[in-house]
Amino acid sequence: MGQRERWILFLVGALMGVGVLWVVQTNSQPKRDAKRQVREGLNLPGMMYDFAVTSKGFYGHYVLWESVETRPDGAKVRSIVTGGRRHYEASGREMAQEYLLIRETYAAGTALAEPGPVTDYTFQFADRIALKLKPGHQAAEVKLPSGDFAQPVAGKPDEALLALKRWHEPLEKTPWAELPKVLAALRADPAVASAELISIDWKKEAEIIRANSGQK
């Protein structure tokens, strides 16, 4: 076989290889897109599902603030604030960090430590508040002394969202223990019918992960 024939065979082989890769890429792209959409729809970092499913406590340098409350039955509720899931723009640039409020419940006599076991969890966004507005009022009327304004929710004139952006700056001085007071002040606002931190259904999200990972 001459040099010309070998060169032609090489080109044909290369083109066939490119064709096979293109077919594989085309067929697998919808699956990758679907998995990406699932990931983008989740609110918690992966490690949080892991410790919640295994009933462990969340400890370490990621904890920005914590407090402990003892209930009349002896159970202890540990509240912590930590960073949330990282989000990125289409260009790859990281978006502003978000923060989570986690409440862990320990049965009476259980040591507050990572092994737990934790009997119950609640997850909420620590930096955003869902508002119900009273009839005749608008989101623009609601403002915190920090300068944070409520924003209207598209298609829902009686709802608004207030993101605590300026309130928690600088981060190292954020008065997380004052969150109940912030909520109380908003509830007392003449334009506000209710104000609540936005909750995250971690069990539902864990089921979504399980369903899309082939786990039983």
Side-chain angles (χ1 to χ4, degrees):
M1 182 183 296
Q3 181 67 27
R4 183 171 179 274
E5 288 78 6
R6 285 196 294 270
W7 178 245
I8 292 174
L9 285 176
F10 170 77
L11 287 177
V12 170
L15 290 173
M16 289 178 64
V18 170
V20 170
L21 288 175
W22 180 84
V23 171
V24 171
Q25 177 79 8
T26 301
N27 291 335
S28 61
Q29 188 63 42
K31 293 181 179 179
R32 285 201 297 271
D33 290 343
K35 288 184 177 181
R36 188 188 73 252
Q37 290 176 355
V38 169
R39 287 196 303 270
E40 291 176 351
L42 299 174
N43 290 300
L44 301 177
M47 63 187 299
M48 291 186 181
Y49 298 107
D50 292 339
F51 80 71
V53 168
T54 55
S55 300
K56 292 184 177 180
F58 190 76
Y59 293 82
H61 68 278
Y62 298 105
V63 176
L64 304 175
W65 168 85
E66 72 174 293
S67 70
V68 178
E69 170 195 356
T70 302
R71 293 180 176 174
D73 63 357
K76 295 185 184 296
V77 179
R78 176 175 176 259
S79 300
I80 70 167
V81 170
T82 185
R85 185 172 178 271
R86 296 186 182 276
H87 295 276
Y88 300 86
E89 295 179 348
S91 62
R93 187 170 70 92
E94 185 174 356
M95 299 172 68
Q97 173 69 292
E98 59 188 20
Y99 299 94
L100 304 173
L101 173 64
I102 306 173
R103 289 189 174 93
E104 304 171 344
T105 302
Y106 296 77
T110 301
L112 273 63
E114 184 174 340
V118 175
T119 61
D120 184 63
Y121 296 92
T122 63
F123 292 84
Q124 295 174 301
F125 287 106
D127 59 358
R128 65 194 73 176
I129 300 170
L131 305 174
K132 283 281 189 180
L133 302 173
K134 292 179 179 178
H137 292 275
Q138 298 180 345
E141 301 175 49
V142 185
K143 178 184 177 182
L144 293 179
S146 60
D148 291 314
F149 283 88
Q151 299 293 327
V153 176
K156 298 181 179 179
D158 64 335
E159 295 184 18
L161 176 67
L162 197 157
L164 302 177
K165 295 181 178 179
R166 296 181 181 179
W167 180 82
H168 69 57
E169 294 178 349
L171 180 60
E172 61 272 11
K173 296 183 179 179
T174 299
W176 295 111
E178 302 296 313
L179 272 176
K181 293 183 179 180
V182 173
L183 290 170
L186 288 170
R187 290 164 184 160
D189 190 292
V192 176
S194 68
E196 303 291 342
L197 293 176
I198 297 176
S199 295
I200 301 170
D201 189 341
W202 74 269
K203 292 182 180 179
K204 182 178 179 180
E205 294 195 359
E207 286 299 322
I208 293 173
I209 294 173
R210 191 174 291 112
N212 285 272
S213 63
Q215 298 178 12
K216 300 293 185 181

